[in-house]
Amino acid sequence: MATTPHHAHWSSRWTFMLAAVGSAVGLGNIWKFPYQAGLNGGGAFVLFYLVFVFLIGLPVLMAELSIGRRAQRSPVYAMEQVAREEGRSKYWVLLGWSGVIGGFLILTYYSVVGGWVLAYIAKATLGFSGFDADTSRAAFNALAGDPVEPVVWHVAFMAITVAIVAQGVKAGLEKAVKLLMPTLFVLLIGMVLYAAVAGDLAAALKFLFQPDFSTLFFVTTIDPVTGTEIQTFTITRVLNALGLAFFSLSLGMGTIMTYGSYLTKDVNIARSAATITFADSAVALMAGLAIFPIVYAVGLNPDENVGLVFITLPIAFGQMTGGAIVGPAFFFLLAFAAITSAISLIEPMVSFVEERTGGRRPNIAVLIGFLVTAIGLLSAWGQTNNLLGDVSVFGVNFMTAKGYLTDNIMMPAGGLFIAIFSGWFISRKNAMDELALNDGAFRKYYFLVKYVCPVAITAVFVSVLFF
Ligand code: PFF
């Protein structure tokens, strides 16, 4: 294959960190983590999520960054090149492909949720005064069920993403990320403090941090005939936690590999990866702590599903002093966080097509953006009461089905193969040179990618087949 090597590099370690944190921190932390924690029973799920983030996510993150930086190319070519240099099968290139396709698929629903966030900037400007649990839920359902409004915002979200990607990584991404990511952090801290004072902090802490393993491993249903409760053993919630760990860290999709390919040799990968992982999980926990005290204070249930953040926070904004300013500011920053992640979802495909065809980046970005937008219509219209609301794929709507495929199957599988490749198919010496770690730290990393990650991910996958 004819390839042009990458020459773009981040201007500094600091911009790389911001961009990587920008990719990791997004709807996954602020929209998905809270609603998944709510649906999957709280504490025990959160505990598994955190264990997966640090024991599996962190080493896979280091492995992806190492491969990207070593090759200085987008994932497809990076996998091809590193496999060739190590004398391995050319089929490892498929891992690069699955990332390019997975990122594309995720974006087809991610941008619909991103569109909801844009819609909420507008709604927040008008204010949420008097919102209670019922009115807020009705307002969200009205938006998600509307055939036109979410589509308009979804198109807007994609247009912004494409406009930034078209300018290239440095010009487009770096400037925006520098200012807005830190601001989001600060605002989120403020919202956690507000929720702690105005909401039911004790109930939220109990829900998020007191593990009750029966909620993780057993699903309760009611027998339609006898009316009695039936407890069924399940591993699906553990898989949800694993999938969320990969999703929130942007792993297994070649995204982080692509960002690694813009890295210079002087950056310490392990230290950067640790910082990204801490920042990412901190934001998820902060989002949980901003949302659940309100959930309990206003009498909502934790399992509001995809609407949770959109239903809960407006109630808080409607009640707090200054809510008319904090509300729009929050949704604006959340939209920004979502856009920095969306950019990273489309970037592997754009940079691949650019390298492959030598075509112009703006044209490529527009074309891919157009395809994502078109396929994304299925997610927008697949919501309850919307045009395709009754269509079910394996018993769920389009968005949930795509999310299950990408987050619970493709990302952990991508991570599994990256761990296997890095632990078993890259020579120990090359892995060590790229990471430049001391002996002890390298041994820990190597043990995790070689044994812990493959065994743990495989164990979860296999058990899900049986339970
Ligand atoms: N990590 C992003 C989030 O938490 O919103 C989503 C994401 C970005 C997933 C990039 C995967 C990816 F490759």
Side-chain angles (χ1 to χ4, degrees), residues 302-339:
D303 59 356
E304 287 288 334
N305 211 327
V306 293
L308 185 68
V309 62
F310 299 100
I311 297 170
T312 314
L313 292 184
I315 303 175
F317 296 138
Q319 287 172 358
M320 67 171 74
T321 353
I325 294 166
V326 181
F330 171 79
F331 284 111
F332 171 77
L333 291 168
L334 179 55
F336 178 75
I339 286 165

PDB file of all heavy atoms in Angstrom, residues 302-339:
ATOM      1  N   PRO A 302     -32.877   6.220  39.896  1.00  0.00           N
ATOM      2  CA  PRO A 302     -31.568   6.208  39.232  1.00  0.00           C
ATOM      3  C   PRO A 302     -31.632   5.630  37.817  1.00  0.00           C
ATOM      4  O   PRO A 302     -30.805   5.935  36.981  1.00  0.00           O
ATOM      5  CB  PRO A 302     -30.708   5.310  40.116  1.00  0.00           C
ATOM      6  CG  PRO A 302     -31.415   5.196  41.406  1.00  0.00           C
ATOM      7  CD  PRO A 302     -32.864   5.439  41.142  1.00  0.00           C
ATOM      8  N   ASP A 303     -32.645   4.795  37.549  1.00  0.00           N
ATOM      9  CA  ASP A 303     -32.634   4.107  36.253  1.00  0.00           C
ATOM     10  C   ASP A 303     -33.486   4.809  35.186  1.00  0.00           C
ATOM     11  O   ASP A 303     -34.296   4.189  34.513  1.00  0.00           O
ATOM     12  CB  ASP A 303     -33.074   2.648  36.421  1.00  0.00           C
ATOM     13  CG  ASP A 303     -34.469   2.542  37.016  1.00  0.00           C
ATOM     14  OD1 ASP A 303     -35.036   3.594  37.360  1.00  0.00           O
ATOM     15  OD2 ASP A 303     -34.982   1.418  37.136  1.00  0.00           O
ATOM     16  N   GLU A 304     -33.241   6.127  35.036  1.00  0.00           N
ATOM     17  CA  GLU A 304     -33.974   6.883  34.006  1.00  0.00           C
ATOM     18  C   GLU A 304     -33.461   6.594  32.591  1.00  0.00           C
ATOM     19  O   GLU A 304     -33.945   7.164  31.627  1.00  0.00           O
ATOM     20  CB  GLU A 304     -33.866   8.384  34.261  1.00  0.00           C
ATOM     21  CG  GLU A 304     -34.674   8.888  35.436  1.00  0.00           C
ATOM     22  CD  GLU A 304     -36.184   8.899  35.172  1.00  0.00           C
ATOM     23  OE1 GLU A 304     -36.590   8.996  34.006  1.00  0.00           O
ATOM     24  OE2 GLU A 304     -36.924   8.804  36.159  1.00  0.00           O
ATOM     25  N   ASN A 305     -32.412   5.775  32.488  1.00  0.00           N
ATOM     26  CA  ASN A 305     -31.854   5.430  31.182  1.00  0.00           C
ATOM     27  C   ASN A 305     -31.190   6.624  30.501  1.00  0.00           C
ATOM     28  O   ASN A 305     -30.734   7.529  31.189  1.00  0.00           O
ATOM     29  CB  ASN A 305     -32.937   4.810  30.292  1.00  0.00           C
ATOM     30  CG  ASN A 305     -32.359   3.795  29.328  1.00  0.00           C
ATOM     31  OD1 ASN A 305     -31.227   3.948  28.884  1.00  0.00           O
ATOM     32  ND2 ASN A 305     -33.090   2.753  29.010  1.00  0.00           N
ATOM     33  N   VAL A 306     -31.180   6.658  29.147  1.00  0.00           N
ATOM     34  CA  VAL A 306     -30.368   7.653  28.431  1.00  0.00           C
ATOM     35  C   VAL A 306     -30.724   9.101  28.754  1.00  0.00           C
ATOM     36  O   VAL A 306     -29.960  10.019  28.472  1.00  0.00           O
ATOM     37  CB  VAL A 306     -30.439   7.459  26.903  1.00  0.00           C
ATOM     38  CG1 VAL A 306     -29.776   6.164  26.487  1.00  0.00           C
ATOM     39  CG2 VAL A 306     -31.857   7.519  26.387  1.00  0.00           C
ATOM     40  N   GLY A 307     -31.881   9.324  29.326  1.00  0.00           N
ATOM     41  CA  GLY A 307     -32.296  10.708  29.607  1.00  0.00           C
ATOM     42  C   GLY A 307     -31.771  11.255  30.927  1.00  0.00           C
ATOM     43  O   GLY A 307     -31.950  12.438  31.220  1.00  0.00           O
ATOM     44  N   LEU A 308     -31.100  10.402  31.733  1.00  0.00           N
ATOM     45  CA  LEU A 308     -30.805  10.783  33.119  1.00  0.00           C
ATOM     46  C   LEU A 308     -30.221  12.192  33.284  1.00  0.00           C
ATOM     47  O   LEU A 308     -30.769  13.014  34.015  1.00  0.00           O
ATOM     48  CB  LEU A 308     -29.873   9.752  33.778  1.00  0.00           C
ATOM     49  CG  LEU A 308     -29.610   9.998  35.266  1.00  0.00           C
ATOM     50  CD1 LEU A 308     -30.852   9.765  36.094  1.00  0.00           C
ATOM     51  CD2 LEU A 308     -28.499   9.079  35.781  1.00  0.00           C
ATOM     52  N   VAL A 309     -29.118  12.475  32.580  1.00  0.00           N
ATOM     53  CA  VAL A 309     -28.478  13.778  32.788  1.00  0.00           C
ATOM     54  C   VAL A 309     -29.376  14.920  32.295  1.00  0.00           C
ATOM     55  O   VAL A 309     -29.432  15.994  32.888  1.00  0.00           O
ATOM     56  CB  VAL A 309     -27.065  13.815  32.145  1.00  0.00           C
ATOM     57  CG1 VAL A 309     -27.102  13.633  30.674  1.00  0.00           C
ATOM     58  CG2 VAL A 309     -26.380  15.119  32.455  1.00  0.00           C
ATOM     59  N   PHE A 310     -30.131  14.642  31.224  1.00  0.00           N
ATOM     60  CA  PHE A 310     -30.988  15.693  30.649  1.00  0.00           C
ATOM     61  C   PHE A 310     -32.228  15.946  31.508  1.00  0.00           C
ATOM     62  O   PHE A 310     -32.871  16.972  31.399  1.00  0.00           O
ATOM     63  CB  PHE A 310     -31.424  15.297  29.232  1.00  0.00           C
ATOM     64  CG  PHE A 310     -30.270  15.135  28.300  1.00  0.00           C
ATOM     65  CD1 PHE A 310     -29.763  13.878  27.987  1.00  0.00           C
ATOM     66  CD2 PHE A 310     -29.647  16.245  27.734  1.00  0.00           C
ATOM     67  CE1 PHE A 310     -28.683  13.725  27.142  1.00  0.00           C
ATOM     68  CE2 PHE A 310     -28.570  16.112  26.887  1.00  0.00           C
ATOM     69  CZ  PHE A 310     -28.081  14.837  26.586  1.00  0.00           C
ATOM     70  N   ILE A 311     -32.584  14.973  32.304  1.00  0.00           N
ATOM     71  CA  ILE A 311     -33.775  15.139  33.147  1.00  0.00           C
ATOM     72  C   ILE A 311     -33.379  15.730  34.500  1.00  0.00           C
ATOM     73  O   ILE A 311     -34.064  16.602  35.036  1.00  0.00           O
ATOM     74  CB  ILE A 311     -34.481  13.774  33.334  1.00  0.00           C
ATOM     75  CG1 ILE A 311     -34.962  13.255  31.977  1.00  0.00           C
ATOM     76  CG2 ILE A 311     -35.654  13.903  34.300  1.00  0.00           C
ATOM     77  CD1 ILE A 311     -35.459  11.823  32.001  1.00  0.00           C
ATOM     78  N   THR A 312     -32.240  15.269  35.025  1.00  0.00           N
ATOM     79  CA  THR A 312     -31.867  15.662  36.384  1.00  0.00           C
ATOM     80  C   THR A 312     -31.354  17.098  36.484  1.00  0.00           C
ATOM     81  O   THR A 312     -31.835  17.887  37.292  1.00  0.00           O
ATOM     82  CB  THR A 312     -30.729  14.740  36.899  1.00  0.00           C
ATOM     83  OG1 THR A 312     -31.081  13.406  36.596  1.00  0.00           O
ATOM     84  CG2 THR A 312     -30.549  14.901  38.370  1.00  0.00           C
ATOM     85  N   LEU A 313     -30.339  17.407  35.650  1.00  0.00           N
ATOM     86  CA  LEU A 313     -29.666  18.683  35.867  1.00  0.00           C
ATOM     87  C   LEU A 313     -30.560  19.904  35.627  1.00  0.00           C
ATOM     88  O   LEU A 313     -30.470  20.882  36.365  1.00  0.00           O
ATOM     89  CB  LEU A 313     -28.380  18.747  35.036  1.00  0.00           C
ATOM     90  CG  LEU A 313     -27.318  17.760  35.529  1.00  0.00           C
ATOM     91  CD1 LEU A 313     -26.024  17.918  34.761  1.00  0.00           C
ATOM     92  CD2 LEU A 313     -27.048  17.921  37.033  1.00  0.00           C
ATOM     93  N   PRO A 314     -31.453  19.873  34.611  1.00  0.00           N
ATOM     94  CA  PRO A 314     -32.330  21.041  34.455  1.00  0.00           C
ATOM     95  C   PRO A 314     -33.125  21.354  35.724  1.00  0.00           C
ATOM     96  O   PRO A 314     -33.359  22.523  36.040  1.00  0.00           O
ATOM     97  CB  PRO A 314     -33.258  20.638  33.308  1.00  0.00           C
ATOM     98  CG  PRO A 314     -32.402  19.737  32.484  1.00  0.00           C
ATOM     99  CD  PRO A 314     -31.590  18.953  33.472  1.00  0.00           C
ATOM    100  N   ILE A 315     -33.504  20.321  36.477  1.00  0.00           N
ATOM    101  CA  ILE A 315     -34.256  20.589  37.710  1.00  0.00           C
ATOM    102  C   ILE A 315     -33.367  21.405  38.653  1.00  0.00           C
ATOM    103  O   ILE A 315     -33.804  22.398  39.252  1.00  0.00           O
ATOM    104  CB  ILE A 315     -34.687  19.268  38.389  1.00  0.00           C
ATOM    105  CG1 ILE A 315     -35.516  18.430  37.412  1.00  0.00           C
ATOM    106  CG2 ILE A 315     -35.453  19.546  39.678  1.00  0.00           C
ATOM    107  CD1 ILE A 315     -35.898  17.056  37.934  1.00  0.00           C
ATOM    108  N   ALA A 316     -32.091  20.996  38.734  1.00  0.00           N
ATOM    109  CA  ALA A 316     -31.158  21.737  39.598  1.00  0.00           C
ATOM    110  C   ALA A 316     -30.952  23.155  39.078  1.00  0.00           C
ATOM    111  O   ALA A 316     -30.992  24.114  39.852  1.00  0.00           O
ATOM    112  CB  ALA A 316     -29.823  21.000  39.664  1.00  0.00           C
ATOM    113  N   PHE A 317     -30.780  23.295  37.754  1.00  0.00           N
ATOM    114  CA  PHE A 317     -30.567  24.644  37.200  1.00  0.00           C
ATOM    115  C   PHE A 317     -31.787  25.528  37.427  1.00  0.00           C
ATOM    116  O   PHE A 317     -31.669  26.729  37.620  1.00  0.00           O
ATOM    117  CB  PHE A 317     -30.246  24.574  35.696  1.00  0.00           C
ATOM    118  CG  PHE A 317     -28.954  23.870  35.390  1.00  0.00           C
ATOM    119  CD1 PHE A 317     -28.865  22.969  34.330  1.00  0.00           C
ATOM    120  CD2 PHE A 317     -27.822  24.098  36.161  1.00  0.00           C
ATOM    121  CE1 PHE A 317     -27.675  22.309  34.048  1.00  0.00           C
ATOM    122  CE2 PHE A 317     -26.630  23.447  35.888  1.00  0.00           C
ATOM    123  CZ  PHE A 317     -26.562  22.554  34.829  1.00  0.00           C
ATOM    124  N   GLY A 318     -32.959  24.913  37.369  1.00  0.00           N
ATOM    125  CA  GLY A 318     -34.194  25.679  37.580  1.00  0.00           C
ATOM    126  C   GLY A 318     -34.307  26.194  39.011  1.00  0.00           C
ATOM    127  O   GLY A 318     -34.949  27.214  39.261  1.00  0.00           O
ATOM    128  N   GLN A 319     -33.667  25.494  39.947  1.00  0.00           N
ATOM    129  CA  GLN A 319     -33.811  25.885  41.357  1.00  0.00           C
ATOM    130  C   GLN A 319     -32.688  26.779  41.858  1.00  0.00           C
ATOM    131  O   GLN A 319     -32.884  27.591  42.759  1.00  0.00           O
ATOM    132  CB  GLN A 319     -33.852  24.622  42.231  1.00  0.00           C
ATOM    133  CG  GLN A 319     -35.159  23.865  42.099  1.00  0.00           C
ATOM    134  CD  GLN A 319     -35.116  22.511  42.811  1.00  0.00           C
ATOM    135  OE1 GLN A 319     -34.107  22.123  43.370  1.00  0.00           O
ATOM    136  NE2 GLN A 319     -36.246  21.803  42.777  1.00  0.00           N
ATOM    137  N   MET A 320     -31.477  26.614  41.300  1.00  0.00           N
ATOM    138  CA  MET A 320     -30.336  27.335  41.903  1.00  0.00           C
ATOM    139  C   MET A 320     -30.311  28.805  41.497  1.00  0.00           C
ATOM    140  O   MET A 320     -30.798  29.174  40.434  1.00  0.00           O
ATOM    141  CB  MET A 320     -29.006  26.659  41.515  1.00  0.00           C
ATOM    142  CG  MET A 320     -28.640  26.754  40.053  1.00  0.00           C
ATOM    143  SD  MET A 320     -26.962  26.171  39.686  1.00  0.00           S
ATOM    144  CE  MET A 320     -27.056  24.424  39.791  1.00  0.00           C
ATOM    145  N   THR A 321     -29.744  29.628  42.382  1.00  0.00           N
ATOM    146  CA  THR A 321     -29.536  31.034  42.009  1.00  0.00           C
ATOM    147  C   THR A 321     -28.465  31.044  40.925  1.00  0.00           C
ATOM    148  O   THR A 321     -27.479  30.322  41.033  1.00  0.00           O
ATOM    149  CB  THR A 321     -28.973  31.851  43.217  1.00  0.00           C
ATOM    150  OG1 THR A 321     -28.980  31.017  44.361  1.00  0.00           O
ATOM    151  CG2 THR A 321     -29.677  33.147  43.405  1.00  0.00           C
ATOM    152  N   GLY A 322     -28.681  31.833  39.890  1.00  0.00           N
ATOM    153  CA  GLY A 322     -27.699  31.887  38.808  1.00  0.00           C
ATOM    154  C   GLY A 322     -27.831  30.733  37.838  1.00  0.00           C
ATOM    155  O   GLY A 322     -26.998  30.564  36.951  1.00  0.00           O
ATOM    156  N   GLY A 323     -28.895  29.923  37.994  1.00  0.00           N
ATOM    157  CA  GLY A 323     -29.084  28.769  37.115  1.00  0.00           C
ATOM    158  C   GLY A 323     -29.209  29.164  35.645  1.00  0.00           C
ATOM    159  O   GLY A 323     -28.815  28.408  34.750  1.00  0.00           O
ATOM    160  N   ALA A 324     -29.692  30.370  35.396  1.00  0.00           N
ATOM    161  CA  ALA A 324     -29.866  30.812  34.011  1.00  0.00           C
ATOM    162  C   ALA A 324     -28.522  31.038  33.326  1.00  0.00           C
ATOM    163  O   ALA A 324     -28.448  31.096  32.095  1.00  0.00           O
ATOM    164  CB  ALA A 324     -30.702  32.089  33.971  1.00  0.00           C
ATOM    165  N   ILE A 325     -27.477  31.172  34.141  1.00  0.00           N
ATOM    166  CA  ILE A 325     -26.135  31.322  33.553  1.00  0.00           C
ATOM    167  C   ILE A 325     -25.391  29.984  33.627  1.00  0.00           C
ATOM    168  O   ILE A 325     -24.781  29.545  32.659  1.00  0.00           O
ATOM    169  CB  ILE A 325     -25.334  32.408  34.311  1.00  0.00           C
ATOM    170  CG1 ILE A 325     -26.029  33.749  34.072  1.00  0.00           C
ATOM    171  CG2 ILE A 325     -23.892  32.456  33.827  1.00  0.00           C
ATOM    172  CD1 ILE A 325     -25.579  34.847  34.979  1.00  0.00           C
ATOM    173  N   VAL A 326     -25.489  29.339  34.793  1.00  0.00           N
ATOM    174  CA  VAL A 326     -24.755  28.077  34.966  1.00  0.00           C
ATOM    175  C   VAL A 326     -25.294  27.011  34.001  1.00  0.00           C
ATOM    176  O   VAL A 326     -24.532  26.234  33.428  1.00  0.00           O
ATOM    177  CB  VAL A 326     -24.870  27.570  36.429  1.00  0.00           C
ATOM    178  CG1 VAL A 326     -24.091  26.279  36.604  1.00  0.00           C
ATOM    179  CG2 VAL A 326     -24.364  28.615  37.392  1.00  0.00           C
ATOM    180  N   GLY A 327     -26.608  26.973  33.795  1.00  0.00           N
ATOM    181  CA  GLY A 327     -27.231  25.964  32.927  1.00  0.00           C
ATOM    182  C   GLY A 327     -26.679  26.003  31.507  1.00  0.00           C
ATOM    183  O   GLY A 327     -26.094  25.013  31.042  1.00  0.00           O
ATOM    184  N   PRO A 328     -26.837  27.155  30.821  1.00  0.00           N
ATOM    185  CA  PRO A 328     -26.291  27.207  29.462  1.00  0.00           C
ATOM    186  C   PRO A 328     -24.783  26.966  29.439  1.00  0.00           C
ATOM    187  O   PRO A 328     -24.277  26.297  28.541  1.00  0.00           O
ATOM    188  CB  PRO A 328     -26.599  28.639  28.993  1.00  0.00           C
ATOM    189  CG  PRO A 328     -27.675  29.122  29.890  1.00  0.00           C
ATOM    190  CD  PRO A 328     -27.584  28.368  31.178  1.00  0.00           C
ATOM    191  N   ALA A 329     -24.068  27.483  30.457  1.00  0.00           N
ATOM    192  CA  ALA A 329     -22.608  27.291  30.479  1.00  0.00           C
ATOM    193  C   ALA A 329     -22.281  25.805  30.575  1.00  0.00           C
ATOM    194  O   ALA A 329     -21.405  25.299  29.859  1.00  0.00           O
ATOM    195  CB  ALA A 329     -21.991  28.044  31.660  1.00  0.00           C
ATOM    196  N   PHE A 330     -23.016  25.086  31.425  1.00  0.00           N
ATOM    197  CA  PHE A 330     -22.737  23.654  31.577  1.00  0.00           C
ATOM    198  C   PHE A 330     -22.974  22.917  30.260  1.00  0.00           C
ATOM    199  O   PHE A 330     -22.117  22.145  29.798  1.00  0.00           O
ATOM    200  CB  PHE A 330     -23.599  23.037  32.683  1.00  0.00           C
ATOM    201  CG  PHE A 330     -23.477  21.542  32.707  1.00  0.00           C
ATOM    202  CD1 PHE A 330     -22.367  20.940  33.285  1.00  0.00           C
ATOM    203  CD2 PHE A 330     -24.433  20.733  32.104  1.00  0.00           C
ATOM    204  CE1 PHE A 330     -22.220  19.561  33.282  1.00  0.00           C
ATOM    205  CE2 PHE A 330     -24.290  19.356  32.091  1.00  0.00           C
ATOM    206  CZ  PHE A 330     -23.174  18.771  32.683  1.00  0.00           C
ATOM    207  N   PHE A 331     -24.117  23.139  29.642  1.00  0.00           N
ATOM    208  CA  PHE A 331     -24.392  22.390  28.406  1.00  0.00           C
ATOM    209  C   PHE A 331     -23.447  22.810  27.278  1.00  0.00           C
ATOM    210  O   PHE A 331     -23.079  21.995  26.431  1.00  0.00           O
ATOM    211  CB  PHE A 331     -25.867  22.531  28.004  1.00  0.00           C
ATOM    212  CG  PHE A 331     -26.762  21.675  28.862  1.00  0.00           C
ATOM    213  CD1 PHE A 331     -27.652  22.242  29.768  1.00  0.00           C
ATOM    214  CD2 PHE A 331     -26.693  20.287  28.795  1.00  0.00           C
ATOM    215  CE1 PHE A 331     -28.459  21.437  30.577  1.00  0.00           C
ATOM    216  CE2 PHE A 331     -27.490  19.476  29.600  1.00  0.00           C
ATOM    217  CZ  PHE A 331     -28.372  20.058  30.491  1.00  0.00           C
ATOM    218  N   PHE A 332     -23.025  24.078  27.302  1.00  0.00           N
ATOM    219  CA  PHE A 332     -22.054  24.518  26.313  1.00  0.00           C
ATOM    220  C   PHE A 332     -20.739  23.741  26.483  1.00  0.00           C
ATOM    221  O   PHE A 332     -20.173  23.221  25.527  1.00  0.00           O
ATOM    222  CB  PHE A 332     -21.810  26.029  26.452  1.00  0.00           C
ATOM    223  CG  PHE A 332     -20.672  26.515  25.619  1.00  0.00           C
ATOM    224  CD1 PHE A 332     -20.825  26.703  24.248  1.00  0.00           C
ATOM    225  CD2 PHE A 332     -19.426  26.756  26.187  1.00  0.00           C
ATOM    226  CE1 PHE A 332     -19.761  27.122  23.465  1.00  0.00           C
ATOM    227  CE2 PHE A 332     -18.353  27.170  25.419  1.00  0.00           C
ATOM    228  CZ  PHE A 332     -18.522  27.364  24.054  1.00  0.00           C
ATOM    229  N   LEU A 333     -20.292  23.650  27.737  1.00  0.00           N
ATOM    230  CA  LEU A 333     -19.023  22.955  27.974  1.00  0.00           C
ATOM    231  C   LEU A 333     -19.145  21.459  27.715  1.00  0.00           C
ATOM    232  O   LEU A 333     -18.213  20.824  27.215  1.00  0.00           O
ATOM    233  CB  LEU A 333     -18.539  23.218  29.407  1.00  0.00           C
ATOM    234  CG  LEU A 333     -18.092  24.664  29.634  1.00  0.00           C
ATOM    235  CD1 LEU A 333     -17.912  24.945  31.114  1.00  0.00           C
ATOM    236  CD2 LEU A 333     -16.795  24.949  28.885  1.00  0.00           C
ATOM    237  N   LEU A 334     -20.311  20.907  28.034  1.00  0.00           N
ATOM    238  CA  LEU A 334     -20.522  19.485  27.750  1.00  0.00           C
ATOM    239  C   LEU A 334     -20.499  19.253  26.238  1.00  0.00           C
ATOM    240  O   LEU A 334     -19.906  18.278  25.746  1.00  0.00           O
ATOM    241  CB  LEU A 334     -21.848  19.010  28.352  1.00  0.00           C
ATOM    242  CG  LEU A 334     -22.208  17.544  28.106  1.00  0.00           C
ATOM    243  CD1 LEU A 334     -21.093  16.611  28.571  1.00  0.00           C
ATOM    244  CD2 LEU A 334     -23.512  17.170  28.822  1.00  0.00           C
ATOM    245  N   ALA A 335     -21.107  20.176  25.494  1.00  0.00           N
ATOM    246  CA  ALA A 335     -21.086  20.059  24.029  1.00  0.00           C
ATOM    247  C   ALA A 335     -19.644  20.103  23.551  1.00  0.00           C
ATOM    248  O   ALA A 335     -19.228  19.333  22.679  1.00  0.00           O
ATOM    249  CB  ALA A 335     -21.882  21.191  23.390  1.00  0.00           C
ATOM    250  N   PHE A 336     -18.866  20.983  24.171  1.00  0.00           N
ATOM    251  CA  PHE A 336     -17.478  21.083  23.762  1.00  0.00           C
ATOM    252  C   PHE A 336     -16.724  19.777  24.042  1.00  0.00           C
ATOM    253  O   PHE A 336     -15.978  19.273  23.204  1.00  0.00           O
ATOM    254  CB  PHE A 336     -16.797  22.254  24.474  1.00  0.00           C
ATOM    255  CG  PHE A 336     -15.367  22.344  24.103  1.00  0.00           C
ATOM    256  CD1 PHE A 336     -14.995  22.833  22.866  1.00  0.00           C
ATOM    257  CD2 PHE A 336     -14.395  21.848  24.950  1.00  0.00           C
ATOM    258  CE1 PHE A 336     -13.675  22.844  22.479  1.00  0.00           C
ATOM    259  CE2 PHE A 336     -13.070  21.858  24.578  1.00  0.00           C
ATOM    260  CZ  PHE A 336     -12.704  22.364  23.337  1.00  0.00           C
ATOM    261  N   ALA A 337     -16.959  19.235  25.253  1.00  0.00           N
ATOM    262  CA  ALA A 337     -16.296  17.974  25.602  1.00  0.00           C
ATOM    263  C   ALA A 337     -16.703  16.883  24.625  1.00  0.00           C
ATOM    264  O   ALA A 337     -15.897  16.035  24.223  1.00  0.00           O
ATOM    265  CB  ALA A 337     -16.648  17.566  27.027  1.00  0.00           C
ATOM    266  N   ALA A 338     -17.969  16.897  24.220  1.00  0.00           N
ATOM    267  CA  ALA A 338     -18.451  15.897  23.267  1.00  0.00           C
ATOM    268  C   ALA A 338     -17.793  16.093  21.907  1.00  0.00           C
ATOM    269  O   ALA A 338     -17.434  15.122  21.226  1.00  0.00           O
ATOM    270  CB  ALA A 338     -19.973  15.989  23.141  1.00  0.00           C
ATOM    271  N   ILE A 339     -17.599  17.350  21.518  1.00  0.00           N
ATOM    272  CA  ILE A 339     -17.000  17.608  20.200  1.00  0.00           C
ATOM    273  C   ILE A 339     -15.534  17.172  20.176  1.00  0.00           C
ATOM    274  O   ILE A 339     -15.072  16.568  19.205  1.00  0.00           O
ATOM    275  CB  ILE A 339     -17.167  19.094  19.810  1.00  0.00           C
ATOM    276  CG1 ILE A 339     -18.629  19.319  19.428  1.00  0.00           C
ATOM    277  CG2 ILE A 339     -16.251  19.484  18.651  1.00  0.00           C
ATOM    278  CD1 ILE A 339     -19.053  20.758  19.358  1.00  0.00           C
TER     279      ILE A 339
END
